[in-house]
């Protein structure tokens, strides 16, 4: 198998992140720098930075975590990273990202291949958010962002969006793509500032009553439906 797949199978990172590690020349196979065509064979010694990767059969772990504002969705050893924040006793990794200034649901797992299948924007999986703005919402704003607008030189895909009943500054939005800080940029394009951004759902998994910093194991029903959708 290719070396990026082996890294993912070890649960160290997603295949996408593994490719970044290879590009950054942080992966050694038998003491030599790996490239995108390097393949893993039984008995090979694979190092990422100073970590020796060893594939072991493990029980799958799937968690729903309420990421607080200020936590960074990275496995890099920096202050405020999500791994240190969750303090799970086994090695697990975030599925996709949620920016530092946002909070809400993020899935965590030790199954590298599943990270790519869930997080890859090309697969069009739904993610739902609750957004609080600094000013009352104009209907024109919601109508136009639902049809797609241009940010960072690229058109956003049509999306579902509606005002939160009984409020003036809150709305919900369901995205199927993952442009960098997409919701904030869409709001900024209409001179709004995002006061609070909370992810409520990823596919069939809901944040529900989890408080910031809390996590729970996915139920068997949730996991079965998730895998069926993939």
């Amino acid at each position: 198998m290719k070396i990026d797949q082996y890294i993912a199978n070890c649960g160290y990172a997603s295949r996408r992140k593994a490719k970044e590690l290879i590009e950054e020349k942080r992966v050694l196979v038998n003491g030599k720098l790996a490239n995108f065509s390097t393949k893993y064979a039984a008995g090979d010694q694979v190092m990422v930075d100073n970590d020796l990767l060893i594939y072991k059969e493990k029980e799958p772990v799937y968690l729903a975590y309420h990421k607080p504002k200020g936590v960074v969705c990275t496995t890099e050893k920096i202050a405020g990273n999500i791994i240190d924040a969750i303090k799970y006793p086994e090695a697990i990794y975030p599925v996709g990202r949620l920016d530092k200034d946002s909070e809400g649901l993020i899935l965590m797992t030790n199954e590298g291949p599943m990270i790519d299948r869930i997080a890859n924007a090309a697969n069009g999986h739904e993610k739902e958010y609750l957004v609080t703005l600094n000013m009352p919402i104009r209907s024109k704003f919601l109508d136009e962002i639902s049809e797609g607008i241009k940010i960072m030189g690229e058109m956003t895909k049509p999306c579902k969006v509606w005002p939160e009943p009984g409020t003036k500054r809150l709305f919900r939005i369901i995205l199927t793509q993952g442009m960098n800080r997409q919701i904030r940029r869409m709001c900024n394009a209409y001179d709004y500032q995002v006061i609070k951004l909370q992810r409520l759902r990823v596919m069939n998994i809901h944040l529900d009553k989890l408080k910031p910093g809390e996590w729970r194991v996915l139920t068997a029903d949730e996991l079965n439906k998730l895998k069926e959708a993939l």
Side-chain angles (χ1 to χ4, degrees), residues 52 59 85 105 124 140 160 223 230:
L52 174 64
E59 286 294 321
L105 178 65
K140 180 182 178 182
K160 299 175 185 177
L223 190 53
L230 295 172

Side-chain angles (χ1 to χ4, degrees), residues 41-53:
D44 283 346
Q45 186 182 69
V46 180
M47 302 279 294
V48 179
D49 296 332
N50 294 318
D51 297 325
L52 174 64
L53 303 192

Side-chain angles (χ1 to χ4, degrees), residues 137-146 190:
I137 298 167
R138 302 185 297 273
S139 58
K140 180 182 178 182
F141 161 68
L142 296 183
D143 290 342
E144 293 188 2
I145 66 171
S146 70
Y190 289 82

Side-chain angles (χ1 to χ4, degrees), residues 22-187:
I22 293 168
E23 187 174 14
E24 293 166 2
K25 302 186 185 302
R26 295 166 60 185
V27 180
L28 298 178
V29 178
N30 299 327
K32 296 181 180 179
L33 278 175
N35 56 48
F36 295 121
S37 61
T38 301
K39 292 187 176 181
Y40 171 81
D44 283 346
Q45 186 182 69
V46 180
M47 302 279 294
V48 179
D49 296 332
N50 294 318
D51 297 325
L52 174 64
L53 303 192
I54 300 175
Y55 177 76
K56 296 179 181 179
E57 290 290 341
K58 53 189 178 297
E59 286 294 321
V61 175
Y62 286 89
L63 307 180
Y65 174 56
H66 187 156
K67 185 194 87 67
K69 183 178 179 180
V71 171
V72 184
C73 289
T74 181
T75 58
E76 301 288 338
K77 296 176 182 178
I78 62 172
N81 76 76
I82 195 169
I83 305 303
D84 289 344
I86 196 169
K87 294 182 174 66
Y88 194 73
E90 299 176 30
I92 55 173
Y93 306 92
V95 179
R97 295 182 179 179
L98 192 57
D99 70 62
K100 182 179 180 180
D101 296 327
S102 301
E103 67 171 79
L105 178 65
I106 188 158
L107 303 182
M108 306 286 292
T109 183
N110 61 351
E111 292 205 301
M114 289 293 285
I115 295 175
D116 291 294
R117 292 170 66 187
I118 298 171
N120 192 333
N123 294 328
H125 299 312
E126 288 190 348
K127 298 181 180 68
E128 182 178 344
Y129 302 81
L130 179 63
V131 187
T132 305
L133 300 179
N134 63 324
M135 298 185 295
I137 298 167
R138 302 185 297 273
S139 58
K140 180 182 178 182
F141 161 68
L142 296 183
D143 290 342
E144 293 188 2
I145 66 171
S146 70
E147 296 173 357
I149 64 171
K150 197 169 188 178
I151 58 172
M152 299 187 295
E154 182 179 347
M155 288 295 295
T156 61
K157 292 181 180 180
C159 59
K160 299 175 185 177
V161 56
W162 65 97
E164 184 73 357
T167 71
K168 294 182 178 180
R169 298 186 294 116
L170 278 70
F171 71 95
R172 294 196 184 211
I173 183 169
I174 298 176
L175 299 181
T176 56
Q177 65 185 134
M179 297 171 67
N180 183 38
R181 298 176 72 86
Q182 180 174 342
I183 294 173
R184 295 180 186 277
R185 293 178 189 275
M186 292 167 77
C187 295

